[in-house]
Amino acid sequence: EEGEMDLDFSRVVENADEEMFEMEAELDYENVESHTLVEKDEDGTPIRSQAVYVDEHTCVGCTMCATVAQSTFFMHPEYGRARVFRQWGDDDETVAIAIDTCPVDCIHYVPYEELERLEVERRGQNINFKARLVSQGEGG
């Protein structure tokens, strides 16, 4: 009977992993605003008051944060700059290490309300993608 319970539990874990993989596959990384995915309590208040934001105008596209904390940051393919797609997708220590690796200090902790404002203001921004540090294959 204990073996059956272990098998049932492993199926639950496997199904949860598959569901998370499918959700991530459907996530539109280029256009997602991380404040829309922040977990909230029953009152609609974010469960964490602090969030992470990348100032994409300062970012040089070094890829360090996205390499260290792959479940929090990604490199925007059009702009070549880092962006947060999931607040606290990685554990606190990993996010802190990713922030510390930034050579231009463009990743900041901000209150949720400021994160929402910054991400909304970012819509339609124009970033000079040719000014980034990492060429990512453009122009040779």
Side-chain angles (χ1 to χ4, degrees):
E1 198 171 294
E2 186 176 315
E4 287 178 28
M5 190 181 307
D6 289 342
L7 186 58
D8 288 343
F9 181 73
S10 67
R11 278 193 206 125
V12 168
V13 170
E14 185 177 310
N15 288 341
D17 286 345
E18 286 176 19
E19 287 176 25
M20 180 63 89
F21 178 76
E22 288 172 13
M23 284 175 29
E24 288 187 10
E26 292 173 10
L27 193 57
D28 181 4
Y29 292 104
E30 292 179 41
N31 299 308
V32 71
E33 293 176 342
S34 68
H35 74 270
T36 64
L37 302 175
V38 168
E39 190 176 342
K40 297 179 180 173
D41 64 19
E42 57 277 348
D43 297 329
T45 304
I47 61 168
R48 296 184 77 149
S49 60
Q50 179 174 267
V52 182
Y53 181 76
V54 177
D55 175 354
E56 293 178 38
H57 290 284
T58 306
C59 177
V60 293
C62 75
T63 74
M64 293 300 294
C65 62
T67 300
V68 171
Q70 297 177 10
S71 295
T72 301
F73 302 94
F74 81 107
M75 299 304 296
H76 194 287
E78 184 177 343
Y79 303 127
R81 308 297 168 92
R83 183 173 284 184
V84 175
F85 69 93
R86 179 179 294 115
Q87 292 296 324
W88 307 105
D90 296 280
D91 61 75
D92 292 353
E93 183 179 359
T94 302
V95 171
I97 291 168
I99 291 170
D100 288 343
T101 66
C102 179
V104 294
D105 294 322
C106 69
I107 307 169
H108 309 283
Y109 291 110
V110 297
Y112 174 80
E113 295 75 21
E114 186 176 352
L115 172 71
E116 186 173 14
R117 180 185 58 78
L118 289 166
E119 289 187 336
V120 168
E121 287 176 359
R122 181 178 65 199
R123 296 174 187 164
Q125 75 178 355
N126 188 11
I127 293 186
N128 179 2
F129 69 91
K130 301 254 184 218
R132 64 184 172 214
L133 177 68
V134 179
S135 75
Q136 298 181 354
E138 272 87 19

